[in-house]
Structure formats: C-alpha cells, structure tokens
Amino acid sequence: MKIRHLHSWNISYHEAIEIQKALYPKLVFSNLSRSIRHIAGADVSCSKKSNNVWAGIVVLSYPSLKKVEEKWVKGITNFPYIPGLLSFREIPIILEAVKKLESNPDLLLCDGQGIAHPRVLGLASHIGLLIEKPTIGCAKKRLVGDFSEVGQYRGDCSPLFYKSREIGAVVRTKTNVKPLFVSPGYAITIKDAVKMVLNCGGRYRIPEPIRQAHLLVNKLRKRDASHEN
DNA sequence: GCGACAG
DNA sequence: ATCTTGTCGC
C-alpha cells in the first residue's frame, strides 16, 4: 500500500498541533466509491515498563468477515500519550505494519477517534490522509462532543455534536453493553461509518477487524513478556 | 483556577 | 493503554 509523506514524525508537541491544523483542510468525506470487499482493522499494544509497542493489521473479507491476511510489527515509540495527540504516538508503528500488507483493503477501522477531535484530526482521520483510503474511528470513550443517552439495543445510536456540528455517533454495537464512539476518519460519511461498524460484528462490542487486531497484538506482547522469564 | 481528557 | 482476581449478569 502506498503511503503519503505529509510531514515529519520527529516533532515537538507544539509542532504536532500545528500539523493537525495544517492537515485539517485536506480532509474529505465523500460517499464510499468502490464496493467494499476487504476491511482492515488496526490496533496497537504498549508495554508498561518499556517504550516497546506492537502494531497489528488484520484484513477480513466483507461481508463474510473471514480473515484473509494479518501482519504485525514490533517497534518503539517515544511520543507520550497525550489526549488529542494520539496519532503521533501510534501512527508511525501502524504504518510499519500497513507497509507489510499484500492485500489492498477498501476500508480501515481504527481504535480511536476520527473527526470527533478538538482539531477534527483524530487518529483515523490522520491515517486516512496518509493512506488515501476510507477510514473509520471507533473509540471506546469520548474525547469531545455532546450527546443524548443512546438506546439499550444493538443498532441504537445517538448523534454526537461538537461546536454545533454533527461529528459522529454514539453507537450501541451490543445490547446492554457500553456504546462505541464512531466518527468518520476520511473519505466516508457518518451514516456509512455507522452502517459499516454495525455490519462488522454483532457478537462483540468491538468491530471484528479491530477486535482481531487487538487479540493479535496482545498475544504478541504477552509472548515477549513471558520470554523474559 | 477547575474540570475533562481517544490509547 | 497496562496491572490484576474475583465476581456479577445475560
């Protein structure tokens, strides 16, 4: 997969914010163009006692959700976790895993926000700009935005607003389980983002592509941890 | 100054 | 996110 180089990753916190402001005008939210046949999910696992990180990408067929490929990479990160700047901690290692892909997914689901971000540039939006493919932000918690309580049943959702703009939706992906914060990353609408997330699971809270990536990177981290004994 | 705050 | 055991509920 081709990856655009839009800026350096060796930057200060202030520069990171300036990069987000500069990238914001490049975002687009078109309807999905080509049909979706393969969906990728990405996730990162971090070590507590070192700056080691593992990134995993799992590609599933759609709508059958069968695994067609998985790639991973181990690396390090020096950028700390700062709410609003997650991209600069996780995207570099995610891109290393993306580079290993042999298949060409039509859509990428990310663990984190899309445009539901103070500068409209959450991790999913940022990575979408870099790979020039549709992306969706699937966060387990709110970063910004206001919303009304969402119904208890799978499929129920409530719009998420920030500064008078609709930026995503709070989506019940499983009945009686905490909802997910879904927002477009890049090249997709809110409506399609919600639809695709709901079509990517049902049995679990987390959409299957991300859940599979999560299981993969956690397995890798724990395998390394036991190796040290 | 205070509270909020993706992973 | 990670660390960490049992426990409550569908």
Side-chain angles (χ1 to χ4, degrees):
Chain A
M1 196 183 299
K2 190 162 62 179
I3 295 168
R4 283 206 287 179
H5 174 81
L6 297 180
H7 61 80
S8 167
W9 292 102
N10 180 213
I11 53 172
S12 65
Y13 308 149
H14 173 71
E15 289 170 327
I17 289 171
E18 293 307 311
I19 287 169
Q20 291 179 331
K21 291 176 179 174
L23 293 183
Y24 161 66
K26 297 178 179 293
L27 292 178
V28 299
F29 305 104
S30 47
N31 287 304
L32 291 173
S33 48
R34 59 177 178 179
S35 63
I36 304 298
R37 293 191 174 80
H38 295 98
I39 300 183
D43 194 29
V44 174
S45 186
C46 310
S47 167
K48 186 187 183 182
K49 47 171 296 193
S50 73
N51 52 8
N52 285 339
V53 288
W54 293 257
I57 309 279
V58 173
V59 181
L60 304 185
S61 58
Y62 182 84
S64 55
L65 304 182
K66 302 293 183 189
K67 186 183 294 182
V68 302
E69 184 181 9
E70 75 176 29
K71 289 288 184 290
W72 62 273
V73 61
K74 177 184 179 180
I76 59 165
T77 181
N78 292 307
F79 206 95
Y81 169 68
I82 300 171
L85 300 180
L86 178 64
S87 291
F88 300 92
R89 175 174 174 77
E90 295 198 347
I91 287 184
I93 187 74
I94 291 174
L95 290 179
E96 291 307 309
V98 166
K99 285 176 186 170
K100 294 191 170 190
L101 285 179
E102 299 166 64
S103 61
N104 187 31
D106 307 299
L107 172 66
L108 174 65
L109 271 48
C110 301
D111 191 346
Q113 313 290 347
I115 60 172
H117 180 279
R119 288 166 296 279
V120 202
L121 216 93
L123 184 151
S125 298
H126 195 148
I127 200 164
L129 275 171
L130 299 180
I131 64 177
E132 294 184 281
K133 282 182 184 299
T135 62
I136 299 173
C138 306
K140 298 178 290 299
K141 296 182 193 171
R142 186 196 79 110
L143 177 59
V144 296
D146 307 306
F147 60 98
S148 308
E149 187 179 344
V150 58
Q152 64 179 315
Y153 298 107
R154 165 171 164 79
D156 289 343
C157 52
S158 182
L160 183 62
F161 295 98
Y162 183 58
K163 294 181 174 176
S164 303
R165 294 288 191 180
E166 190 171 351
I167 56 170
V170 185
V171 182
R172 194 79 68 176
T173 51
K174 180 175 177 177
T175 298
N176 289 332
V177 169
K178 289 205 315 177
L180 229 48
F181 293 79
V182 177
S183 59
Y186 183 73
I188 193 168
T189 62
I190 294 175
K191 183 176 179 166
D192 281 346
V194 170
K195 183 187 77 175
M196 295 310 295
V197 164
L198 287 170
N199 285 349
C200 279
R203 197 157 142 72
Y204 303 95
R205 179 188 184 214
I206 305 299
E208 204 56 21
I210 295 178
R211 199 179 76 87
Q212 292 287 329
H214 185 76
L215 293 172
L216 170 63
V217 292
N218 270 320
K219 181 183 69 181
L220 293 165
R221 179 176 54 76
K222 287 167 184 174
R223 182 172 63 71
D224 270 22
S226 70
H227 245 200
E228 293 168 354
N229 299 331

